[in-house]
Amino acid sequence: MDIQTITDKINYKTARVKKLQVEIKALETKKTQLENEEIINAVNEANIPISELKNLLTSLKERDGAI
């Protein structure tokens, strides 16, 4: 293998890695969006007023020591 072949392979693989990083970031964004929608739906289904949600979560955290 010569230097140019190796350089070409490095460039090709670097470009692939960058493309995959962009795809991963997009997937992470989509995952966060879906998680947020799931949380919102759960709150809406439970008919919890937004004004009470923070207090509820705080009390659960203090009681169970987890969230």
Side-chain angles (χ1 to χ4, degrees), residues 17-28:
V17 167
K18 287 179 182 178
K19 181 182 178 197
L20 290 172
Q21 288 173 331
V22 168
E23 290 177 16
I24 288 169
K25 182 151 180 67
L27 288 169
E28 288 172 342

Side-chain angles (χ1 to χ4, degrees), residues 54-67:
K54 183 177 179 182
N55 293 336
L56 174 64
L57 293 174
T58 301
S59 67
L60 288 173
K61 182 178 181 180
E62 290 171 356
R63 187 182 74 194
D64 296 336
I67 284 190

Side-chain angles (χ1 to χ4, degrees), residues 29-56:
T29 299
K30 183 64 176 177
K31 178 183 174 193
T32 300
Q33 178 186 359
L34 291 173
E35 287 172 341
N36 290 341
E37 288 174 8
E38 189 173 317
I39 292 166
I40 290 168
N41 289 337
V43 170
N44 288 338
E45 288 175 11
N47 293 320
I48 301 171
I50 297 297
S51 60
E52 295 178 21
L53 183 59
K54 183 177 179 182
N55 293 336
L56 174 64

